[in-house]
Amino acid sequence: MDLEADIVVIGGGMAGLVAGIRATEEGMKTVLLRKGQSATAYSSGAIDIIGYLPGGTVPLGSPVEGLQGIASMFPFHPYGLLGFTDATSDTVSKTIVEKVRTAVSWLKATLLGSSIPLFGDIDSNLDAVTVLGTVKPTCMIQETMWPGSLMLDADSVALFAGVRGFPVFNPRMAAQVFLEHQISNRLPPRKAGHHVLDLAPFGNNYNISSIEIARYLDNEDNLSVLAKTLKKQAERIGATHIALPPVLGFNRARENQLALQDLTGAHVFELLSFPPSVPGLRLQRGLETAFVNGGGTLLVGHHAKMESLESNIVKEVTAVGPRRNLKISTKAVVLATGKFIGGGITGTENGIRESVFDLMTVSESFRIATSITPQKLTNTIALTHMGHPLFGSGLSVDPQFRPITAEEVHAAENLYAAGSVLAGYNYPAEKSGLGVAIVTGYMASRNAVDYVKGVSA
Amino acid sequence: MAKYDVIVIGGGSTGTAVARDCAMRGLKILLLERDDIASATTGACAGMISSGLKYMDEPNIVDMCSDEVVNFKRIARHVMEKNPIITPLLEMSDISSGGNFAEEYSKRAETRDVPPVLFLTPEDSLKIEPTLNPDLIASIYFEEYFISPFALCMLQALDAKQHGADIKTYCEVTDILTKKGSITGLQYFNRITDKMESAKTKAIVNAAGPWAHKIAALAGAKLELRLNKGAHVILDRRVVNVGVIAKAIEGRMIYLFPHENTVLLGTTALDTWEDPDTLVASQDEIEYLLKSMEWVIPSIRDARIIRTMEGVRPLIPTWKIPEGDVTRGYEIIDHEPEGVSGLISFTGGKLVMCRHMAETATDLVCKNLGMESECKTHNEPLPGNSDDVDILALAKEYGVSQHTVERMRARRGSETATILELTCDHPEWKTTICTCEPVIEAELRYAIRATFPQTLNDLRRRVRLGTGPCQGTFCTFKAAAILAEELELSGEDFQLEIVDFLAERWKGKRQSIRGEQIAQEELAQGIYACVGNLDQALEELDYDLKPWEEVL
């Protein structure tokens, strides 16, 4: 045996890292395998808990409101599963809300001392502004991304500032979309301007990526040029708030934000953006740092390989790396391999498959999906508030978050699953991706830890 | 009311060719297209301007095709490519039609600047195309020319415009006016201005392809078509070195053709009565194509399918024979004998014949109008065909990758230098907007200013935006912002452009979705729904359901 572990976590996105950090906190010897870049690193960095009820079109005022709705209407939603306890039914929704609150508060505390402190809580959703100028409900954002009083203060004026040669963000169109939206909803601001900054971080003023700008701004000396122009432009239109693409740095984002606010006199914030996403990468790094600092073993570039699940207990996982295979003995496994981006779930013309253990997959409505053609799980309309059921497919789990078989029993007594490998929720439509990852990662880890402690006792 | 010598209905390969021919002969022309240039049948074809290989028993058609290839090489070489093609033979019966074909093809090879048909040993075949089934007993090798259907139609339309024609896209003909059995004009709905408009004319050329019978009916004329659906499966890259032709499960011939940066696997042939706008490739069609090609390319299923593409052939109405036996010639119908003087319609035809069809039709129009004129369309080059383009020098001069410049050249020919020159004043326009193709911002700006796109989907047809493996995941919002700036769109219309573009891409992605393309789609949903929240914006945006979409 090459490595010995109490818990092996397969997958290094939000769910896996939460599970891993929690396990190390409980004194477990934890090994975490990350195959490649996670969907968390691709994410906007905003932490959605629940923005819309499944199929809903009204943005939820708070995650608590959404969780209560799920408790009564969607018992098999991953959040709904949190309510399956021995307690009586009238406390189901309270149980769910409290479990989510515990996990979310824990995450916030975990990242408190890091370079990416979080803003927000489950008692209200925030309106986050995107690089398109659209607004979406989300629960928590990194403090550098909080728009402050922009949409509350009747006299606020927004300046959208982009960078020449950085095509992800067109400040003119974003300002227009945002202003049209706010005006039609009779909300401030009533005025928004735009400007394009000449930054050329590494010489070129074309094909600039957010990563380049963030690295450039991690150097303290480079902020002053930006600040001077921003100040001038903000004064030109009387801007009280300045919206930037999320490029304020990997290490110095918060310091840069505060410095820019000092220099311009306006509230400066980062917009939500698309991959490659600096805030997503910041989140990934922050979590990995917490995991490693807590004593966890991180194997990057390794994926898990299993012969097959023959016994009722997983005792060994093979980690396949570029030049080596490691055999890891373990007492429990948390499967957090993600959906199609992460590779935990795959689809061919013959059906939907789970990629490590070949577990049974189900559709969003819990029909067995191992032989459903992916196309059958899609709608004709590309973008709808219903989402595509394909992205709600995955694993069906018991209330312990253990994957179940067609016979409706757990596939192994020490195998737990968390995050988007789970079925029964449609994160792109509901805006619940990282939230489900955090809470299920937290719970799956707790169950795995309890199991290991029980076995060891 | 505007008055025209001739009004052409339809902006496909034939309609734009007719507009060009008429305009070059000095006629005052209006072309009306209800959608965009090359947005239907022509835009869904593989672009082979065939020497007539499937129609060897129609020697006059083979002659015509061969001559037209030579003409295209004269006028449009910059949007053409020559591809080697292998037909592997797995058993003797595969050879049945080989003999006659080789003879007919080789007879005309020299004029087209291609070698005669060669018979290759299995070893030589595998050297050229290692993915072939090693059990082959021999193969037939020949070469065919391909032309970009979008570019051809666009260049024909632009050339017509330069010769004084009015080209109006998004204008749908709603009525054809007649007086005492003669055409006097027509009415159309302009979807850009949202207004009914009309124009006077004595001559209408109906080049509406699979809708030609509906146009004829507006004038009270009868026209019959045999509509036949053809679907392609599109693979993400050049998975084969050469084109491959193979016998499908029921004995038809199907192909795997290199096409721009991709490979096309096609086609199916199904008689259809559906509205062409609603059609998508079916599961059966996708499987038919894969299963058929698998015999000669056993690894075909390992390739990443990015989408499907489908179109409707407006065949000459010959019934009770298989689609393959219907002539690929064309007919020009003068509706005068049935009492509608001034209306002529097309049925049948192939991409390779479009210029020839236009010449014949324009001759007839001129005769009907009582004028004498000479066709020049086969001699005068299309825009961009004038000079050779030095890719290496341009790439160096402007600091843009050679690959980018070469892809630009394949669309714009000698205009490439003009486009790159835009980056002198705007170096930031060297930014790559569509990384799959690739397309830089300067070309987008140029295409918006010079080639009248009204939508992002039009821009896709101009520059192949969003046609690669990512299918617009990373370029849609960037390009939409550029289009919105150039056309001064509102914030709402900017968002609608994004959603409309994604809707059209999804139409083709959805039918074949599997493998890596599902992860790609999850990413697209992550960007546009999860972060962008556009899935929640449809009602607010006044989104119209597309013909192929169904209410949930």
Side-chain angles (χ1 to χ4, degrees):
Chain A
M1 205 57 58
D2 301 306
L3 282 173
E4 283 178 12
D6 295 320
I7 293 181
V8 169
V9 180
I10 308 172
M14 178 61 94
L17 283 164
V18 166
I21 298 168
R22 278 296 300 127
T24 58
E25 285 177 354
E26 293 292 327
M28 296 285 120
K29 199 165 182 312
T30 311
V31 177
L32 188 147
L33 317 184
R34 168 153 78 75
K35 181 176 73 169
Q37 199 60 279
S38 73
T40 299
Y42 288 143
S43 77
S44 70
I47 294 174
D48 298 343
I49 301 294
I50 182 95
Y52 298 86
L53 281 176
T57 55
V58 182
L60 294 163
S62 75
V64 168
E65 192 185 311
L67 294 169
Q68 287 164 346
I70 286 171
S72 59
M73 289 183 281
F74 305 97
F76 300 115
H77 189 287
Y79 288 140
L81 293 179
L82 303 172
F84 283 80
T85 60
D86 301 333
T88 50
S89 65
D90 59 350
T91 62
V92 165
S93 109
K94 210 175 142 200
T95 308
I96 292 172
V97 170
E98 283 321 305
K99 284 184 175 170
V100 172
R101 191 183 297 281
T102 305
V104 167
S105 307
W106 168 84
L107 181 79
K108 224 172 139 176
T110 301
L111 292 175
L112 189 62
S114 77
S115 59
I116 44 158
L118 297 176
F119 183 92
D121 57 53
I122 66 165
D123 295 311
S124 66
N125 267 327
L126 305 164
D127 282 334
V129 189
T130 75
V131 286
L132 299 180
T134 53
V135 173
K136 76 164 251 187
T138 190
C139 176
M140 289 193 294
I141 41 188
Q142 296 169 23
E143 283 206 350
T144 50
M145 306 172 80
W146 182 53
S149 61
L150 176 64
M151 289 171 270
L152 302 168
D153 186 348
D155 299 324
S156 66
V157 176
L159 173 69
F160 285 76
V163 176
R164 199 176 308 283
F166 172 57
V168 171
F169 178 50
N170 183 306
R172 178 163 145 187
M173 290 322 298
Q176 204 162 330
V177 169
F178 179 64
L179 202 59
E180 281 177 23
H181 176 266
Q182 293 302 99
I183 287 171
S184 75
N185 287 295
R186 296 168 193 278
L187 290 168
R190 293 205 187 85
K191 190 177 165 191
H194 58 90
H195 180 71
V196 182
L197 299 159
D198 284 290
L199 212 54
F202 296 99
N204 282 342
N205 51 1
Y206 57 91
N207 276 339
I208 301 173
S209 80
S210 54
I211 311 280
E212 275 181 295
I213 308 175
R215 285 199 184 124
Y216 178 75
L217 294 180
D218 268 341
N219 182 339
E220 208 177 338
D221 303 336
N222 292 330
L223 199 68
S224 57
V225 190
L226 182 67
K228 221 176 279 176
T229 319
L230 275 182
K231 183 175 165 62
K232 210 169 104 188
Q233 290 300 325
E235 280 168 0
R236 178 175 62 88
I237 63 163
T240 55
H241 293 74
I242 300 175
L244 296 172
V247 295
L248 279 176
F250 286 103
N251 307 319
R252 292 185 44 84
R254 181 72 171 142
E255 287 94 323
N256 283 340
Q257 179 199 27
L258 296 173
L260 284 177
Q261 292 187 162
D262 259 2
L263 292 163
T264 61
H267 177 93
V268 174
F269 70 101
E270 295 178 309
L271 299 162
L272 268 56
S273 188
F274 310 135
S277 155
V278 171
L281 288 164
R282 288 197 297 242
L283 190 58
Q284 178 78 29
R285 282 189 190 188
L287 293 165
E288 281 184 10
T289 306
F291 175 67
V292 174
N293 289 349
T297 304
L298 179 63
L299 294 177
V300 175
H302 289 71
H303 69 269
K305 198 179 142 199
M306 294 298 299
E307 293 308 323
S308 67
L309 199 56
E310 270 164 17
S311 87
N312 194 30
I313 300 179
V314 189
K315 289 178 176 159
E316 186 187 305
V317 174
T318 306
V320 181
R323 280 177 299 278
R324 61 176 183 183
N325 285 6
L326 296 172
K327 284 192 188 301
I328 310 169
S329 71
T330 190
K331 293 172 186 154
V333 171
V334 177
L335 186 69
T337 41
K339 212 173 278 300
F340 301 101
I341 294 175
I345 303 291
T346 58
T348 71
E349 61 268 48
N350 301 317
I352 310 292
R353 306 303 287 258
E354 188 280 315
S355 41
V356 180
F357 295 92
D358 201 16
L359 297 162
M360 178 188 74
T361 59
V362 296
S363 71
E364 189 175 352
S365 50
F366 295 93
R367 282 167 57 210
I368 293 176
T370 41
S371 53
I372 300 182
T373 307
Q375 186 263 4
K376 306 275 184 226
L377 298 173
T378 59
N379 301 312
T380 56
I381 306 175
L383 283 177
T384 80
H385 62 276
M386 301 296 292
H388 296 289
L390 180 58
F391 301 113
S393 60
L395 301 180
S396 183
V397 289
D398 68 12
Q400 298 261 306
F401 288 94
R402 289 179 301 190
I404 60 166
T405 67
E407 290 76 40
E408 298 189 0
V409 294
H410 52 260
E413 64 182 54
N414 63 342
L415 174 63
Y416 302 83
S420 62
V421 75
L422 300 179
Y425 74 112
N426 205 306
Y427 77 86
E430 297 168 17
K431 282 65 174 164
S432 62
L434 290 181
V436 168
I438 294 163
V439 179
T440 58
Y442 191 94
M443 295 312 298
S445 182
R446 192 172 86 180
N447 296 333
V449 169
D450 287 350
Y451 174 85
V452 173
K453 285 181 176 170
V455 172
S456 309
Chain B
M1 197 192 297
K3 207 174 159 208
Y4 294 90
D5 294 327
V6 183
I7 296 179
V8 181
I9 302 172
S13 56
T14 315
T16 53
V18 173
R20 173 173 183 250
D21 199 335
C22 288
M24 283 173 74
R25 298 197 209 194
L27 293 168
K28 194 166 170 1
I29 295 296
L30 171 65
L31 182 145
L32 296 174
E33 161 56 49
R34 61 159 212 153
D35 205 306
D36 181 38
I37 301 299
S39 57
T41 302
T42 305
C45 79
M48 178 158 80
I49 41 176
S50 144
S51 61
L53 77 156
K54 274 171 102 175
Y55 319 112
M56 288 298 163
D57 46 357
E58 297 182 89
N60 53 335
I61 290 181
V62 182
D63 280 338
M64 185 217 298
C65 290
S66 196
D67 292 345
E68 285 306 307
V69 170
V70 176
N71 287 332
F72 276 127
K73 285 181 64 187
R74 195 179 304 119
I75 67 168
R77 69 196 157 99
H78 60 308
V79 291
M80 289 169 67
E81 57 186 72
K82 185 165 73 174
N83 282 320
I85 292 171
I86 280 185
T87 304
L89 309 170
L90 293 180
E91 45 199 304
M92 285 313 285
S93 62
D94 288 343
I95 208 164
S96 53
S97 60
N100 182 38
F101 161 68
E103 196 181 309
E104 291 290 329
Y105 176 97
S106 304
K107 236 195 281 181
R108 300 167 182 87
E110 205 183 326
T111 55
R112 293 199 311 277
D113 193 21
V114 293
V117 167
L118 303 171
F119 285 85
L120 302 181
T121 62
E123 293 73 33
D124 285 346
S125 311
L126 286 161
K127 219 177 275 172
I128 295 172
E129 186 46 69
T131 59
L132 291 177
N133 185 337
D135 294 338
L136 82 167
I137 53 172
S139 76
I140 303 170
Y141 174 98
F142 57 101
E143 294 176 3
E144 292 281 3
Y145 287 90
F146 290 72
I147 197 164
S148 159
F150 293 132
L152 173 65
C153 295
M154 198 62 230
L155 294 177
Q156 290 185 148
L158 284 175
D159 203 33
K161 232 175 141 163
Q162 277 165 23
H163 285 88
D166 287 338
I167 310 283
K168 291 194 171 183
T169 54
Y170 294 96
C171 286
E172 183 163 1
V173 174
T174 54
D175 199 10
I176 293 178
L177 311 171
T178 55
K179 200 170 176 186
K180 293 180 187 159
S182 292
I183 298 283
T184 59
L186 49 65
Q187 288 187 328
Y188 58 95
F189 180 68
N190 186 328
R191 280 155 60 191
I192 296 162
T193 59
D194 249 347
K195 284 195 182 101
M196 289 297 298
E197 294 172 16
S198 50
K200 280 187 188 171
T201 190
K202 286 178 182 161
I204 291 176
V205 177
N206 172 14
W211 295 276
H213 57 304
K214 295 191 173 172
I215 293 295
L218 293 176
K222 276 205 185 70
L223 186 71
E224 205 183 13
L225 292 171
R226 179 167 167 186
L227 296 182
N228 192 267
K229 177 191 183 192
H232 286 103
V233 166
I234 309 181
L235 309 179
D236 72 330
R237 72 194 80 181
R238 296 285 187 99
V239 296
V240 279
N241 296 325
V242 296
V244 176
I245 292 182
K247 218 172 218 183
I249 56 166
E250 87 293 39
R252 282 177 69 247
M253 301 309 278
I254 60 157
Y255 57 74
L256 194 61
F257 281 159
H259 179 79
E260 309 280 355
N261 292 334
T262 67
V263 171
L264 296 182
L265 170 58
T267 62
T268 59
L270 297 168
D271 288 300
T272 180
W273 289 264
E274 298 264 13
D275 175 356
D277 289 333
T278 65
L279 283 178
V280 291
S282 70
Q283 210 61 28
D284 286 342
E285 286 176 288
I286 296 166
E287 198 51 38
Y288 163 87
L289 290 170
L290 289 170
K291 173 78 186 161
S292 300
M293 192 49 74
E294 210 169 12
W295 280 315
V296 297
I297 311 273
S299 60
I300 191 72
R301 283 178 199 272
D302 297 342
R304 173 167 167 184
I305 298 173
I306 56 178
R307 63 183 287 117
T308 60
M309 162 172 95
E310 54 290 308
V312 174
R313 309 174 179 99
L315 300 181
I316 291 173
T318 331
W319 305 104
K320 302 190 179 178
I321 53 169
E323 159 271 348
D325 294 348
V326 178
T327 175
R328 281 319 198 256
Y330 64 85
E331 278 179 2
I332 292 179
I333 295 129
D334 190 336
H335 296 281
E336 204 257 319
E338 51 173 315
V340 186
S341 170
L343 177 68
I344 65 172
S345 298
F346 289 101
T347 59
K350 295 287 286 178
L351 179 67
V352 63
M353 300 169 192
C354 69
R355 196 214 58 84
H356 193 278
M357 294 164 76
E359 179 177 345
T360 314
T362 310
D363 285 346
L364 179 60
V365 167
C366 288
K367 192 180 133 225
N368 289 349
L369 293 174
M371 61 178 271
E372 271 188 41
S373 67
E374 198 192 336
C375 176
K376 291 179 248 171
T377 53
H378 55 299
N379 283 325
E380 296 198 8
L382 286 165
N385 190 48
S386 48
D387 300 305
D388 284 334
V389 181
D390 189 339
I391 305 294
L392 302 186
L394 285 175
K396 201 172 167 198
E397 185 181 348
Y398 291 98
V400 174
S401 80
Q402 292 166 7
H403 181 46
T404 303
V405 179
E406 166 53 22
R407 293 304 297 155
M408 198 187 287
R409 184 215 58 78
R411 291 185 281 273
R412 314 299 315 197
S414 52
E415 285 170 87
T416 302
T418 318
I419 296 169
L420 288 169
E421 221 170 272
L422 295 173
T423 64
C424 294
D425 286 341
H426 293 280
E428 73 275 17
W429 290 0
K430 286 195 253 182
T431 299
T432 306
I433 301 300
C434 165
T435 34
C436 296
E437 180 55 22
V439 187
I440 62 169
E441 183 165 349
E443 191 183 357
L444 281 178
R445 300 262 179 193
Y446 182 86
I448 296 167
R449 292 168 193 186
T451 61
F452 53 89
Q454 305 296 330
T455 70
L456 209 52
N457 275 313
D458 298 357
L459 209 46
R460 166 176 56 81
R461 288 179 275 265
R462 308 293 188 272
V463 303
R464 296 187 54 76
L465 177 86
T467 56
C470 99
Q471 287 287 297
T473 305
F474 290 104
C475 68
T476 303
F477 65 99
K478 298 172 192 168
I482 293 165
L483 184 76
E485 276 193 355
E486 290 282 335
L487 302 185
E488 295 179 1
L489 300 182
S490 68
E492 184 180 329
D493 285 342
F494 159 66
Q495 293 173 78
L496 268 175
E497 282 302 329
I498 295 175
V499 179
D500 282 347
F501 191 78
L502 295 173
E504 194 286 333
R505 293 288 81 188
W506 178 241
K507 175 192 179 191
K509 283 189 281 185
R510 175 175 184 253
Q511 297 309 108
S512 54
I513 195 158
R514 63 193 67 182
E516 289 301 306
Q517 213 59 8
I518 306 181
Q520 184 70 58
E521 187 57 26
E522 191 187 348
L523 200 55
Q525 293 287 328
I527 289 179
Y528 295 99
C530 190
V531 179
N533 211 15
L534 290 174
D535 58 323
Q536 289 288 347
L538 292 199
E539 262 179 56
E540 210 174 304
L541 290 176
D542 242 341
Y543 176 79
D544 288 328
L545 277 191
K546 304 291 173 276
W548 61 88
E549 291 177 343
E550 290 156 22
V551 184
L552 299 177

